[in-house]
Amino acid sequence: MDRQAVYIYKLPYEKSFTGIALDVHMHKGNLRYFDTNRGHEIPGKITEETEKGFIFISEGSMPGEWQFKVLTIEEFKSKYYKLVEGGQTLVAKLKTTEDLHQWYRREFII
């Protein structure tokens, strides 16, 4: 898990990744993250972790398996730009996944 990365996530029983998560980290047995509106803190545990994402088992809100994967510039350009106001403009400006993650942190966390 990389606190600097931007993740997309899929909740239990959903067919696709629909949420954006920033500043993702564990704290005292809770998964903490921000979406683009507010913070969340969900009790549970990480059961699998790779460089590209992780599996979280929620014991609170929406119990069950949550899948998180790092949002890449390619995925953003093909689908997730629609979730951001002015996303089409961003597609032209952002060139790398790191550029994308820096933009999200600047706009929604700092």
Side-chain angles (χ1 to χ4, degrees), residues 3 11 15-16 20-21 27 29 36 38 43 45 75 77 87 90 92-93:
R3 201 165 173 174
L11 297 172
K15 294 180 182 180
S16 62
I20 300 284
H27 180 76
T36 56
R38 64 185 182 94
K45 60 184 176 241
E75 289 171 311
K77 286 181 175 186
L90 282 173
K93 290 180 181 180

PDB file of all heavy atoms in Angstrom, residues 3 11 15-16 20-21 27 29 36 38 43 45 75 77 87 90 92-93:
ATOM      1  N   ARG A   3       0.774   5.241   0.335  1.00  0.00           N
ATOM      2  CA  ARG A   3      -0.055   6.369   0.761  1.00  0.00           C
ATOM      3  C   ARG A   3      -0.071   7.507  -0.255  1.00  0.00           C
ATOM      4  O   ARG A   3      -0.998   8.315  -0.277  1.00  0.00           O
ATOM      5  CB  ARG A   3       0.472   6.865   2.116  1.00  0.00           C
ATOM      6  CG  ARG A   3      -0.528   7.634   2.888  1.00  0.00           C
ATOM      7  CD  ARG A   3      -0.105   7.773   4.323  1.00  0.00           C
ATOM      8  NE  ARG A   3      -1.026   8.657   5.001  1.00  0.00           N
ATOM      9  CZ  ARG A   3      -1.014   8.895   6.287  1.00  0.00           C
ATOM     10  NH1 ARG A   3      -0.139   8.306   7.061  1.00  0.00           N
ATOM     11  NH2 ARG A   3      -1.888   9.720   6.818  1.00  0.00           N
ATOM     12  N   LEU A  11     -16.280  -2.426  -4.440  1.00  0.00           N
ATOM     13  CA  LEU A  11     -16.919  -2.905  -3.219  1.00  0.00           C
ATOM     14  C   LEU A  11     -17.495  -4.304  -3.434  1.00  0.00           C
ATOM     15  O   LEU A  11     -17.678  -4.740  -4.578  1.00  0.00           O
ATOM     16  CB  LEU A  11     -18.030  -1.941  -2.804  1.00  0.00           C
ATOM     17  CG  LEU A  11     -17.559  -0.522  -2.461  1.00  0.00           C
ATOM     18  CD1 LEU A  11     -18.758   0.385  -2.247  1.00  0.00           C
ATOM     19  CD2 LEU A  11     -16.656  -0.522  -1.248  1.00  0.00           C
ATOM     20  N   LYS A  15     -19.632  -5.020  -9.862  1.00  0.00           N
ATOM     21  CA  LYS A  15     -18.983  -5.651 -11.001  1.00  0.00           C
ATOM     22  C   LYS A  15     -17.747  -4.903 -11.483  1.00  0.00           C
ATOM     23  O   LYS A  15     -16.907  -5.472 -12.158  1.00  0.00           O
ATOM     24  CB  LYS A  15     -19.977  -5.795 -12.149  1.00  0.00           C
ATOM     25  CG  LYS A  15     -21.085  -6.760 -11.821  1.00  0.00           C
ATOM     26  CD  LYS A  15     -22.053  -6.908 -12.955  1.00  0.00           C
ATOM     27  CE  LYS A  15     -23.148  -7.865 -12.491  1.00  0.00           C
ATOM     28  NZ  LYS A  15     -24.158  -8.108 -13.463  1.00  0.00           N
ATOM     29  N   SER A  16     -17.653  -3.611 -11.158  1.00  0.00           N
ATOM     30  CA  SER A  16     -16.514  -2.849 -11.645  1.00  0.00           C
ATOM     31  C   SER A  16     -15.993  -1.906 -10.569  1.00  0.00           C
ATOM     32  O   SER A  16     -16.638  -1.679  -9.551  1.00  0.00           O
ATOM     33  CB  SER A  16     -16.894  -2.062 -12.901  1.00  0.00           C
ATOM     34  OG  SER A  16     -17.914  -1.143 -12.597  1.00  0.00           O
ATOM     35  N   ILE A  20     -12.790   6.238  -6.058  1.00  0.00           N
ATOM     36  CA  ILE A  20     -11.427   6.764  -6.033  1.00  0.00           C
ATOM     37  C   ILE A  20     -11.028   6.914  -4.570  1.00  0.00           C
ATOM     38  O   ILE A  20     -11.796   7.435  -3.761  1.00  0.00           O
ATOM     39  CB  ILE A  20     -11.350   8.151  -6.711  1.00  0.00           C
ATOM     40  CG1 ILE A  20     -11.781   8.083  -8.170  1.00  0.00           C
ATOM     41  CG2 ILE A  20      -9.967   8.771  -6.555  1.00  0.00           C
ATOM     42  CD1 ILE A  20     -10.790   7.508  -9.120  1.00  0.00           C
ATOM     43  N   ALA A  21      -9.812   6.466  -4.231  1.00  0.00           N
ATOM     44  CA  ALA A  21      -9.322   6.549  -2.858  1.00  0.00           C
ATOM     45  C   ALA A  21      -7.938   7.186  -2.832  1.00  0.00           C
ATOM     46  O   ALA A  21      -7.045   6.793  -3.581  1.00  0.00           O
ATOM     47  CB  ALA A  21      -9.275   5.158  -2.235  1.00  0.00           C
ATOM     48  N   HIS A  27      -4.682   2.321  10.074  1.00  0.00           N
ATOM     49  CA  HIS A  27      -4.443   2.993  11.348  1.00  0.00           C
ATOM     50  C   HIS A  27      -5.261   2.293  12.422  1.00  0.00           C
ATOM     51  O   HIS A  27      -6.496   2.295  12.369  1.00  0.00           O
ATOM     52  CB  HIS A  27      -4.833   4.471  11.252  1.00  0.00           C
ATOM     53  CG  HIS A  27      -4.628   5.227  12.512  1.00  0.00           C
ATOM     54  ND1 HIS A  27      -3.382   5.626  12.944  1.00  0.00           N
ATOM     55  CD2 HIS A  27      -5.509   5.644  13.450  1.00  0.00           C
ATOM     56  CE1 HIS A  27      -3.520   6.270  14.097  1.00  0.00           C
ATOM     57  NE2 HIS A  27      -4.798   6.301  14.426  1.00  0.00           N
ATOM     58  N   GLY A  29      -6.059  -0.805  13.027  1.00  0.00           N
ATOM     59  CA  GLY A  29      -7.031  -1.786  12.567  1.00  0.00           C
ATOM     60  C   GLY A  29      -8.126  -1.243  11.665  1.00  0.00           C
ATOM     61  O   GLY A  29      -9.104  -1.935  11.387  1.00  0.00           O
ATOM     62  N   THR A  36     -12.955  12.047  -3.080  1.00  0.00           N
ATOM     63  CA  THR A  36     -12.802  13.453  -3.439  1.00  0.00           C
ATOM     64  C   THR A  36     -13.731  14.367  -2.648  1.00  0.00           C
ATOM     65  O   THR A  36     -13.715  15.581  -2.851  1.00  0.00           O
ATOM     66  CB  THR A  36     -13.030  13.650  -4.948  1.00  0.00           C
ATOM     67  OG1 THR A  36     -14.315  13.145  -5.296  1.00  0.00           O
ATOM     68  CG2 THR A  36     -11.959  12.934  -5.760  1.00  0.00           C
ATOM     69  N   ARG A  38     -14.732  13.407   1.119  1.00  0.00           N
ATOM     70  CA  ARG A  38     -14.562  13.298   2.571  1.00  0.00           C
ATOM     71  C   ARG A  38     -13.700  12.100   2.933  1.00  0.00           C
ATOM     72  O   ARG A  38     -13.392  11.264   2.092  1.00  0.00           O
ATOM     73  CB  ARG A  38     -15.918  13.172   3.262  1.00  0.00           C
ATOM     74  CG  ARG A  38     -16.673  11.909   2.900  1.00  0.00           C
ATOM     75  CD  ARG A  38     -18.079  11.896   3.519  1.00  0.00           C
ATOM     76  NE  ARG A  38     -18.764  10.671   3.207  1.00  0.00           N
ATOM     77  CZ  ARG A  38     -18.789   9.584   3.971  1.00  0.00           C
ATOM     78  NH1 ARG A  38     -18.147   9.583   5.117  1.00  0.00           N
ATOM     79  NH2 ARG A  38     -19.455   8.512   3.605  1.00  0.00           N
ATOM     80  N   PRO A  43     -13.238  -0.433   9.704  1.00  0.00           N
ATOM     81  CA  PRO A  43     -12.532  -1.515  10.397  1.00  0.00           C
ATOM     82  C   PRO A  43     -12.397  -2.737   9.493  1.00  0.00           C
ATOM     83  O   PRO A  43     -13.305  -3.048   8.717  1.00  0.00           O
ATOM     84  CB  PRO A  43     -13.417  -1.818  11.599  1.00  0.00           C
ATOM     85  CG  PRO A  43     -14.769  -1.289  11.259  1.00  0.00           C
ATOM     86  CD  PRO A  43     -14.567  -0.180  10.273  1.00  0.00           C
ATOM     87  N   LYS A  45      -9.184  -5.729   7.694  1.00  0.00           N
ATOM     88  CA  LYS A  45      -7.784  -6.120   7.559  1.00  0.00           C
ATOM     89  C   LYS A  45      -7.422  -6.326   6.090  1.00  0.00           C
ATOM     90  O   LYS A  45      -8.265  -6.653   5.264  1.00  0.00           O
ATOM     91  CB  LYS A  45      -7.504  -7.382   8.361  1.00  0.00           C
ATOM     92  CG  LYS A  45      -8.327  -8.568   7.933  1.00  0.00           C
ATOM     93  CD  LYS A  45      -8.079  -9.768   8.843  1.00  0.00           C
ATOM     94  CE  LYS A  45      -9.008 -10.887   8.425  1.00  0.00           C
ATOM     95  NZ  LYS A  45      -9.916 -11.310   9.403  1.00  0.00           N
ATOM     96  N   GLU A  75      -5.746   3.934 -17.528  1.00  0.00           N
ATOM     97  CA  GLU A  75      -7.131   3.717 -17.086  1.00  0.00           C
ATOM     98  C   GLU A  75      -7.870   5.040 -16.927  1.00  0.00           C
ATOM     99  O   GLU A  75      -9.048   5.148 -17.268  1.00  0.00           O
ATOM    100  CB  GLU A  75      -7.158   2.951 -15.763  1.00  0.00           C
ATOM    101  CG  GLU A  75      -6.751   1.510 -15.901  1.00  0.00           C
ATOM    102  CD  GLU A  75      -6.579   0.839 -14.560  1.00  0.00           C
ATOM    103  OE1 GLU A  75      -5.899   1.393 -13.683  1.00  0.00           O
ATOM    104  OE2 GLU A  75      -7.135  -0.261 -14.403  1.00  0.00           O
ATOM    105  N   LYS A  77      -7.327   7.818 -18.581  1.00  0.00           N
ATOM    106  CA  LYS A  77      -7.618   8.363 -19.907  1.00  0.00           C
ATOM    107  C   LYS A  77      -8.734   7.609 -20.618  1.00  0.00           C
ATOM    108  O   LYS A  77      -9.455   8.186 -21.425  1.00  0.00           O
ATOM    109  CB  LYS A  77      -6.355   8.367 -20.766  1.00  0.00           C
ATOM    110  CG  LYS A  77      -5.377   9.438 -20.364  1.00  0.00           C
ATOM    111  CD  LYS A  77      -4.147   9.445 -21.253  1.00  0.00           C
ATOM    112  CE  LYS A  77      -3.252  10.610 -20.907  1.00  0.00           C
ATOM    113  NZ  LYS A  77      -2.117  10.725 -21.839  1.00  0.00           N
ATOM    114  N   GLY A  87     -12.261  16.679 -16.810  1.00  0.00           N
ATOM    115  CA  GLY A  87     -11.433  15.498 -17.042  1.00  0.00           C
ATOM    116  C   GLY A  87     -10.838  15.419 -18.433  1.00  0.00           C
ATOM    117  O   GLY A  87      -9.699  14.987 -18.598  1.00  0.00           O
ATOM    118  N   LEU A  90      -7.783  17.468 -18.556  1.00  0.00           N
ATOM    119  CA  LEU A  90      -6.697  16.804 -17.838  1.00  0.00           C
ATOM    120  C   LEU A  90      -6.035  15.721 -18.682  1.00  0.00           C
ATOM    121  O   LEU A  90      -4.817  15.544 -18.622  1.00  0.00           O
ATOM    122  CB  LEU A  90      -7.219  16.161 -16.551  1.00  0.00           C
ATOM    123  CG  LEU A  90      -7.453  17.097 -15.392  1.00  0.00           C
ATOM    124  CD1 LEU A  90      -8.128  16.354 -14.253  1.00  0.00           C
ATOM    125  CD2 LEU A  90      -6.154  17.702 -14.939  1.00  0.00           C
ATOM    126  N   ALA A  92      -5.376  15.641 -21.689  1.00  0.00           N
ATOM    127  CA  ALA A  92      -4.378  16.239 -22.584  1.00  0.00           C
ATOM    128  C   ALA A  92      -3.134  16.715 -21.830  1.00  0.00           C
ATOM    129  O   ALA A  92      -2.035  16.704 -22.375  1.00  0.00           O
ATOM    130  CB  ALA A  92      -4.993  17.399 -23.346  1.00  0.00           C
ATOM    131  N   LYS A  93      -3.296  17.108 -20.574  1.00  0.00           N
ATOM    132  CA  LYS A  93      -2.188  17.687 -19.813  1.00  0.00           C
ATOM    133  C   LYS A  93      -1.339  16.645 -19.092  1.00  0.00           C
ATOM    134  O   LYS A  93      -0.135  16.798 -18.988  1.00  0.00           O
ATOM    135  CB  LYS A  93      -2.726  18.674 -18.771  1.00  0.00           C
ATOM    136  CG  LYS A  93      -3.295  19.925 -19.358  1.00  0.00           C
ATOM    137  CD  LYS A  93      -3.787  20.829 -18.259  1.00  0.00           C
ATOM    138  CE  LYS A  93      -4.395  22.099 -18.823  1.00  0.00           C
ATOM    139  NZ  LYS A  93      -4.882  22.986 -17.786  1.00  0.00           N
TER     140      LYS A  93
END
